[in-house]
Amino acid sequence: MSEILNELFKRYPCLDACREDIVKAYALFVGCYDNGGKILCCGNGGSAADCDHFVGELMKGFLKKRPLSDAEKAAFDDDFIADSLQKGLPAISLCAHPALMTAFENDAVPTLVFAQQVYAYAKECDVLLCFSTSGNSENVVYAAKAAKAAKIKVVSITGAKESKLSELSDICIRLPETETFKIQELTLPVYHCLAAMLEEKYFQM
């Protein structure tokens, strides 16, 4: 973990100010996975793309190969499937369900589209990861409130300013920028670092 973190801060020195919160977020994700939980992600626009991207790094090989063990392969009667599947860390992008999202937005309250999914999905030990450059995106804030009602933890990645999400979240990684595109430029290396650290912990091959 330390080598991955050190590489992050070497490449992006400004992120050293977020070191403590990044480490805390990692520890919370480890607690989630150690106890059979999953990570739920939400955000809008570029942040929605970050949700999909982060989930992709968790659900399949990122920097390492994640082959099934011999015991796991034995459950299949097809060597092609057994040799091709990879181990994953359970994660769901709440932005990736267009039929559900548009149905809820049309039939109910659009700003609660993520909150609806959080409340339906959330189980003990899950974590909600919120991406919002402002930290005040209404539908993401409502998702965080739904997570609190469901008694799951909330991690947020935002810009430098205090926000509704910084108040609601158990951990808020406040990136040291205030312009949207600059915040987005720092968001990717942070969640890549988190994905790499999680992969290193759970997949040794």
Side-chain angles (χ1 to χ4, degrees), residues 142-173:
Y142 283 139
K145 290 183 176 181
K148 290 296 185 181
K151 299 181 179 178
I152 67 170
K153 300 294 186 181
V154 178
V155 175
S156 293
I157 301 178
T158 71
K161 296 179 181 179
E162 292 187 8
S163 64
K164 292 178 181 177
L165 282 178
S166 67
E167 294 175 3
L168 280 169
S169 301
D170 296 280
I171 299 164
C172 187
I173 301 171

Side-chain angles (χ1 to χ4, degrees), residues 16-43:
D16 192 58
C18 304
R19 180 188 293 262
E20 183 177 353
D21 289 322
I22 293 171
V23 171
K24 286 181 178 178
Y26 166 75
L28 195 59
F29 291 153
V30 168
C32 164
Y33 285 130
D34 281 352
N35 289 283
K38 60 186 176 293
I39 296 176
L40 307 173
C41 303
C42 66

Side-chain angles (χ1 to χ4, degrees), residues 68-85:
L68 305 188
S69 67
D70 290 340
E72 290 166 330
K73 289 181 180 181
F76 293 88
D77 61 2
D78 187 317
D79 289 343
F80 171 72
I81 298 175
D83 291 337
S84 301
L85 289 179

Side-chain angles (χ1 to χ4, degrees), residues 43 48 69 131 174 176 184 190-191:
S69 67
F131 290 92
R174 291 165 56 187
Q184 291 172 330
V190 168
Y191 67 73

Side-chain angles (χ1 to χ4, degrees), residues 68-184:
L68 305 188
S69 67
D70 290 340
E72 290 166 330
K73 289 181 180 181
F76 293 88
D77 61 2
D78 187 317
D79 289 343
F80 171 72
I81 298 175
D83 291 337
S84 301
L85 289 179
Q86 303 174 16
K87 294 181 181 180
L89 294 169
I92 299 172
S93 171
L94 304 182
C95 312
H97 304 103
L100 168 61
M101 293 176 69
T102 53
F104 191 82
E105 289 166 355
N106 185 61
D107 300 339
V109 183
T111 52
L112 296 180
V113 66
F114 294 139
Q116 173 65 30
Q117 293 181 77
V118 169
Y119 202 71
Y121 275 128
K123 302 295 182 187
E124 185 178 3
C125 299
D126 288 352
V127 175
L128 174 66
L129 174 58
C130 299
F131 290 92
S132 173
T133 56
S134 69
N136 293 311
S137 302
E138 192 172 24
N139 55 359
V140 179
V141 170
Y142 283 139
K145 290 183 176 181
K148 290 296 185 181
K151 299 181 179 178
I152 67 170
K153 300 294 186 181
V154 178
V155 175
S156 293
I157 301 178
T158 71
K161 296 179 181 179
E162 292 187 8
S163 64
K164 292 178 181 177
L165 282 178
S166 67
E167 294 175 3
L168 280 169
S169 301
D170 296 280
I171 299 164
C172 187
I173 301 171
R174 291 165 56 187
L175 303 173
E177 290 289 355
T178 55
E179 290 184 83
T180 296
F181 80 95
K182 292 181 181 179
I183 299 167
Q184 291 172 330

